[in-house]
């Protein structure tokens, strides 16, 4: 009960499952070395680590920088939607290019994970601490009544940037009716949002319900379509980079390993997600 009760209480306040998640391990686990310096890996350090090796911060901090690079795209979301409502094609085009370049910067930052974190060290020394809980009993927590609970581990799937961009740009991932495996994957993506901060979940929901960007682009001039496709391609690039990291950091150190930290068969599903993203380009 020494751990279970406070963890469960805190999770209740935050409206998230009671397990270490991406928002705690990465998004809120850093500070600037130079308070006036940029938000880049080289100017950040972790607040809390599980192990005293540089490969752990080398894994965490690039994710923080990726989120810093994503800020431009996130700030552009509502002005873009407003421009769409006003029918301002030139503004829509400009905002779409800005989003694409922002995601391109996110893609470039992925390379820092390889620079600062060795795949074999990550697999042996870091990954065990962020695995999922399977049939864990939370002693003293009335909500669970002594019944074993299972929760998914810390994962980039819990990052809100790509789901937000999907919602903004009208990228909807749908599995064929007869493909139960892909339906399960999409369920996992939805499940991952439960581990995000409440504000992030609301942001995604607002974009999904109100964005008309894709509809506007479909009836727009070739320049707007080109800008839109540039953003879609960069999102696919990011998903391609994510797949490559999963292969190098999970599959290669342990070839028989088929599940990511969130419990999904990552190689097959991430490849499908990348290709499905590209299918949203507009001719």
């Amino acid at each position: 009960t020494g751990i279970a009760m406070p963890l469960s209480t805190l999770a209740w306040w935050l409206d998230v499952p009671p397990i270490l998640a991406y928002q705690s391990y990465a998004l809120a686990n850093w500070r600037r070395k130079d308070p006036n310096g940029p938000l880049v890996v080289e100017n950040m350090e972790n607040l809390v680590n599980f192990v005293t090796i540089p490969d752990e911060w080398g894994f965490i901090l690039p994710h923080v920088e990726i989120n810093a690079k994503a800020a431009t795209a996130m700030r552009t979301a509502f002005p873009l939607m407003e421009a769409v409502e006003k029918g301002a094609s030139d503004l829509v085009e400009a905002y779409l290019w800005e989003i694409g370049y922002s995601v391109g910067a996110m893609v470039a930052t992925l390379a820092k994970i390889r620079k600062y974190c060795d795949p074999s060290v990550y697999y042996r020394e870091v990954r065990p601490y962020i695995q999922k809980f399977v049939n864990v009993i939370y002693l003293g927590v009335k909500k669970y009544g002594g019944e074993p609970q299972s929760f998914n581990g810390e994962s980039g799937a819990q990052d809100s940037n790509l789901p937000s961009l999907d919602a903004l740009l009208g990228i909807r991932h749908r599995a064929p009716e007869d493909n139960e495996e892909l339906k399960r994957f999409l369920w996992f993506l939805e499940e991952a949002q439960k581990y995000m901060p409440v504000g992030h979940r609301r942001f995604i929901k607002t974009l999904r319900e109100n964005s008309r960007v894709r509809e506007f682009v479909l009836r727009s001039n070739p320049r707007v379509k080109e800008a839109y496709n540039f953003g879609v391609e960069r999102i696919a690039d990011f998903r391609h980079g994510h797949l490559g990291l999963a292969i190098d950091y999970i599959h290669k150190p342990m070839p028989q390993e088929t599940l990511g930290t969130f419990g999904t068969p990552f190689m097959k599903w991430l490849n499908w997600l990348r290709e499905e993203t590209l299918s949203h380009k507009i001719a």
Side-chain angles (χ1 to χ4, degrees):
T1 57
I3 295 175
M5 289 294 289
L7 176 60
S8 298
T9 301
L10 182 60
W12 177 78
W13 281 340
L14 297 174
D15 191 20
V16 293
I19 188 174
L20 178 70
Y22 185 80
Q23 63 168 314
S24 300
Y25 190 58
L27 297 186
N29 188 21
W30 60 276
R31 63 185 172 197
R32 283 184 171 98
K33 295 177 183 176
D34 174 3
N36 300 313
L39 280 173
V40 296
V41 171
E42 294 76 12
N43 189 46
M44 291 186 286
E45 59 187 2
N46 288 135
L47 300 175
V48 179
N49 290 92
F50 284 112
V51 289
T52 55
I53 54 175
D55 298 82
E56 186 176 14
W57 66 256
F59 175 72
I60 297 172
L61 295 179
H63 290 84
V64 180
E65 184 178 334
I66 286 169
N67 274 266
K69 295 292 194 296
T72 299
M74 297 302 107
R75 286 195 298 264
T76 302
F78 290 130
L80 170 59
M81 290 165 60
E82 184 178 354
V84 165
E85 293 300 317
K86 293 179 177 179
S89 293
D90 288 348
L91 272 178
V92 170
E93 180 187 350
Y95 287 137
L96 287 172
W97 282 114
E98 196 168 357
I99 288 171
Y101 285 120
S102 176
V103 180
M106 294 164 58
V107 175
T109 303
L110 279 173
K112 290 191 175 183
I113 296 177
R114 286 192 169 88
K115 181 178 180 180
Y116 294 116
C117 180
D118 180 86
S120 60
V121 175
Y122 163 79
Y123 192 88
R124 294 193 316 268
E125 305 293 340
V126 178
R127 191 168 184 260
Y129 292 99
I130 58 176
Q131 293 281 31
K132 65 187 300 183
F133 282 1
V134 179
N135 295 329
V136 173
I137 295 176
Y138 286 68
L139 291 175
V141 180
K142 292 183 180 179
K143 176 181 178 180
Y144 301 132
E147 294 296 319
Q149 303 296 311
S150 298
F151 299 106
N152 291 311
E154 188 274 349
S155 168
Q158 299 162 5
D159 189 294
S160 59
N161 288 308
L162 263 60
S164 296
L165 291 168
D166 284 347
L168 176 64
L169 299 181
I171 298 173
R172 295 183 178 274
H173 304 289
R174 294 188 175 97
E177 282 300 319
D178 60 346
N179 195 323
E180 294 300 322
E181 186 178 44
L182 288 181
K183 285 183 180 179
R184 183 165 174 262
F185 177 42
L186 295 180
W187 177 83
F188 267 103
L189 293 180
E190 290 294 322
E191 189 74 7
Q193 293 191 22
K194 296 179 181 179
Y195 294 73
M196 297 176 186
V198 173
H200 292 205
R201 304 200 303 257
R202 290 174 179 165
F203 183 68
I204 295 169
K205 185 173 185 290
T206 298
L207 296 181
R208 180 66 72 194
E209 292 177 350
N210 295 282
S211 177
R212 301 293 178 266
V213 172
R214 183 172 174 84
E215 293 93 322
F216 182 88
V217 174
L218 282 167
R219 60 179 187 270
S220 294
N221 62 60
R223 295 194 313 275
V224 175
K225 292 177 180 176
E226 182 184 3
Y228 178 89
N229 288 341
F230 178 75
V232 171
E233 289 167 355
R234 299 294 77 75
I235 294 171
D237 287 345
F238 191 92
R239 289 186 160 128
H240 178 76
H242 182 196
L243 173 60
L245 288 170
I247 291 171
D248 290 344
Y249 283 75
I250 299 175
H251 178 67
K252 287 184 178 178
M254 189 63 68
Q256 63 267 38
E257 180 69 79
T258 61
L259 300 181
T261 51
F262 203 64
T264 63
F266 59 91
M267 291 179 65
K268 181 189 297 185
W269 286 359
L270 288 177
N271 184 63
W272 173 81
L273 191 59
R274 175 191 61 187
E275 296 303 313
E276 223 271 332
T277 299
L278 284 173
S279 74
H280 284 76
K281 291 176 62 177
I282 296 174

